[in-house]
């Protein structure tokens, strides 16, 4: 083969302003949600409502990170479902184990009474 | 994306290869499935935390009268209230908020590096990868400080009662380790070390991978290859690390 001494020709495209602006918007949303979480952390009393707000905000943040930063929202449908459907097991595992933990706490409580 | 439509060459079936059924390259698809399995690992840790935590009684009573005790699970914002250079000032969750900010920002710079790679802009990839590496190192340094503070403990410590050789003795415990903990039940410290440690190790690997990508960009490897797809693959991993932190932040520090 002949020796190629020249560098490959690279065509650098200009920045995609619209896309970059969109990414900064997503970053802004994530920061606003985090600040909101801090406000909730210091103004609300602990309880199911506070926990639900935190879980809800976390899911919204996860949606933006996975959907926009990891670009999953714009991928083929079959890929989106291949990733999302297995997480059903995680949700079930969470519900089952936390419920189990509360039941175990009841048993421990009876032990302390003796 | 135009790649997402399956096109076949006449006379050849879809099964003869050369098509990507999910519209992404093999490498990216495998990165997705690795991240899914990693999500299961982290869920295992966080759900076990939920199980153990719900077994312990929660603190009841006035929020401001809270003291550390082995009898109930501590309120996280009473444990994580220190910030470097502000010794003795009660600033609950401020430091962990800064860490969250740093990690989200490094995720933003990573996605900007990916955007630059897609249009073959080597200089911009170099710039954004450097910012991402810097963010990762900052996060790891913050975590090192937080661990040090957690291990050393507060100035006054916590008085605990222990049953040793048939009699009750009282002693003062400072900080936390895997077998002793001034902040609450032993499991609280154990989970802190395991969960934030496992996440921190992911951040560390991410920084190493980011550096590798940066090095290969600088030496022109991807330019010669004609594609910056490796930036996208490592980017997926880096965003996942950020995603896990979002969950750790909620379930370990906020709830």
């Amino acid at each position: 083969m002949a020796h190629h001494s020249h560098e490959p020709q690279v065509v650098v495209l200009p920045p995609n302003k619209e896309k970059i602006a969109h990414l900064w918007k997503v970053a802004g949303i994530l920061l606003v949600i985090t600040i909101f979480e801090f406000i909730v952390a210091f103004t609300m009393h602990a309880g199911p409502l506070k926990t639900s707000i935190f879980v809800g905000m976390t899911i919204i943040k996860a949606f933006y990170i996975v959907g926009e930063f990891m670009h999953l929202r714009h991928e083929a449908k079959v890929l989106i479902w291949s990733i999302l459907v297995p997480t059903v097991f995680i949700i079930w595992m969470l519900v089952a184990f936390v419920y189990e933990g509360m039941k175990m706490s009841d048993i421990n409580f009876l032990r302390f009474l003796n | 994306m135009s790649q997402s439509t399956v096109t076949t060459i006449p006379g050849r079936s879809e099964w003869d290869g050369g098509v990507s059924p999910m519209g992404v390259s093999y490498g990216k698809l495998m990165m997705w499935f690795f991240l899914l399995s990693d999500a299961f690992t982290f869920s295992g840790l966080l759900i076990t935390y939920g199980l153990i935590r719900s077994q312990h009684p929660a603190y009841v009573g006035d929020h401001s009268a809270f003291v550390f005790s082995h009898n109930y699970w501590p309120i996280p914002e009473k444990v994580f209230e220190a910030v470097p250079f502000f010794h003795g000032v009660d600033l609950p969750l401020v430091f962990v908020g800064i860490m969250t900010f740093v990690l989200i920002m490094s995720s933003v710079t990573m996605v900007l590096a990916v955007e630059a790679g897609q249009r073959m802009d080597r200089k911009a990839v170099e710039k954004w990868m450097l910012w991402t590496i810097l963010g990762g190192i900052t996060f790891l340094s913050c975590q090192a400080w937080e661990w040090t503070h957690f291990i050393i403990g507060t100035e006054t410590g916590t008085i605990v009662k222990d049953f040793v050789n048939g009699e009750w003795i009282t002693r003062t415990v400072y900080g936390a380790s895997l077998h002793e903990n001034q902040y609450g039940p032993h499991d609280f410290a154990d989970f802190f070390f395991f969960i934030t440690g496992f996440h921190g190790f992911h951040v560390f690997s991410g920084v190493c991978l980011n550096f590798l990508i940066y090095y290969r960009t600088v030496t022109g490897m991807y330019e010669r290859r004609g594609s910056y797809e490796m930036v996208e693959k490592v980017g997926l991993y880096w965003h996942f690390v950020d995603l896990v932190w979002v969950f750790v932040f909620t379930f370990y520090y906020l709830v």
Side-chain angles (χ1 to χ4, degrees):
Chain A
M1 284 232 352
H3 180 67
H4 294 278
S5 58
H6 61 85
E7 282 289 300
Q9 288 297 307
V10 177
V11 183
V12 178
L13 300 171
N16 187 342
K17 288 245 161 61
E18 204 178 308
K19 197 172 167 187
I20 292 172
H22 177 69
L23 292 173
W24 280 108
K25 203 184 106 192
V26 173
I29 293 169
L30 290 175
L31 290 178
V32 166
I33 294 174
T34 308
I35 291 165
F36 175 72
E37 281 183 325
F38 268 88
I39 295 167
V40 171
F42 296 121
T43 52
M44 277 182 73
H45 290 288
L49 179 65
K50 192 179 181 181
T51 308
S52 329
I53 290 174
F54 283 145
V55 172
M57 291 296 124
T58 305
I59 290 167
I60 295 171
K61 280 203 276 188
F63 170 80
Y64 277 109
I65 291 172
V66 177
E68 298 295 341
F69 285 177
M70 296 171 89
H71 209 257
L72 187 64
R73 211 157 76 84
H74 312 285
E75 302 286 0
K77 277 240 160 54
V78 59
L79 177 59
I80 298 176
W81 288 115
S82 309
I83 300 301
L84 287 187
V85 170
T87 58
V88 166
F89 292 109
I90 295 176
I91 294 161
W92 165 243
M93 191 157 82
L94 178 72
V95 172
F97 273 78
V98 171
Y99 182 74
E100 190 75 9
M102 290 189 295
K103 289 292 163 200
M104 284 154 110
S105 141
D106 293 345
I107 297 164
N108 280 345
F109 179 68
L110 293 176
R111 198 188 64 199
F112 284 131
L113 282 181
N114 293 328
Chain B
M1 297 277 286
S2 56
Q3 290 163 305
S4 61
T5 49
V6 176
T7 49
T8 48
I9 300 153
R12 286 180 61 170
S13 116
E14 251 178 64
W15 297 90
D16 289 339
V19 290
S20 30
M22 291 188 176
V24 288
S25 69
Y26 175 78
K28 263 168 100 173
L29 189 62
M30 290 305 119
M31 180 53 94
W32 269 111
F33 286 134
F34 163 68
L35 294 180
L36 187 64
S37 75
D38 220 18
F40 274 92
T41 312
F42 272 109
S43 308
L45 283 170
L46 278 172
I47 290 171
T48 315
Y49 171 79
L51 169 82
I52 300 294
R53 182 180 178 162
S54 53
Q55 264 182 43
H56 284 84
Y59 171 74
V60 277
D62 194 19
H63 191 268
S64 54
F66 175 86
V67 283
F68 296 131
S69 163
H70 283 183
N71 297 327
Y72 44 75
W73 203 260
I75 300 171
E77 63 188 65
K78 294 285 182 187
V79 180
F80 307 102
E81 42 76 61
V83 174
F85 312 116
F86 289 92
H87 185 76
V89 185
D90 181 49
L91 298 163
L93 299 181
V94 167
F95 194 53
V96 73
I98 295 168
M99 287 165 74
T100 308
F101 175 75
V102 167
L103 209 56
I104 289 179
M105 285 318 287
S106 84
S107 224
V108 177
T109 56
M110 184 81 218
V111 86
L112 290 169
V114 170
E115 193 273 336
Q118 282 165 348
R119 48 191 182 80
M120 300 297 287
D121 189 341
R122 180 162 129 186
K123 282 276 166 273
V125 175
E126 285 171 17
K127 178 179 79 177
W128 291 121
M129 283 313 293
L130 264 188
W131 278 111
T132 311
I133 293 167
L134 186 70
I137 291 173
T138 309
F139 181 85
L140 285 173
S141 316
C142 291
Q143 204 169 33
W145 186 89
E146 180 154 272
W147 271 50
T148 310
H149 184 267
F150 190 77
I151 291 167
I152 291 170
T154 61
E155 259 163 43
T156 47
T158 301
I159 296 159
V160 296
K161 271 172 90 179
D162 267 336
F163 198 62
V164 180
N165 294 333
E167 54 185 315
W168 285 100
I169 55 155
T170 55
R171 61 200 174 84
T172 313
V173 175
Y174 297 94
S177 65
L178 284 178
H179 55 89
E180 218 159 41
N181 178 7
Q182 77 159 93
Y183 308 104
H186 294 190
D187 293 335
F188 178 75
D190 296 352
F191 276 111
F192 176 79
F193 291 127
F194 266 91
I195 295 176
T196 66
F198 197 56
H199 175 264
F201 184 69
H202 273 74
V203 178
F204 175 73
S205 342
V207 169
C208 293
L209 288 172
N210 283 344
F211 186 78
L212 183 72
I213 296 301
Y214 172 71
Y215 179 80
R216 288 176 162 183
T217 305
V218 171
T219 55
M221 186 174 170
Y222 300 132
E223 206 162 84
R224 284 193 294 278
R225 192 182 277 179
S227 154
Y228 282 85
E229 206 196 60
M230 274 309 287
V231 182
E232 294 181 40
K233 287 178 214 166
V234 173
L236 283 177
Y237 179 76
W238 190 251
H239 297 313
F240 176 76
V241 168
D242 183 28
L243 176 73
V244 170
W245 180 254
V246 164
F247 280 88
V248 171
F249 175 63
T250 302
F251 292 112
Y252 215 96
Y253 293 94
L254 287 181
V255 173

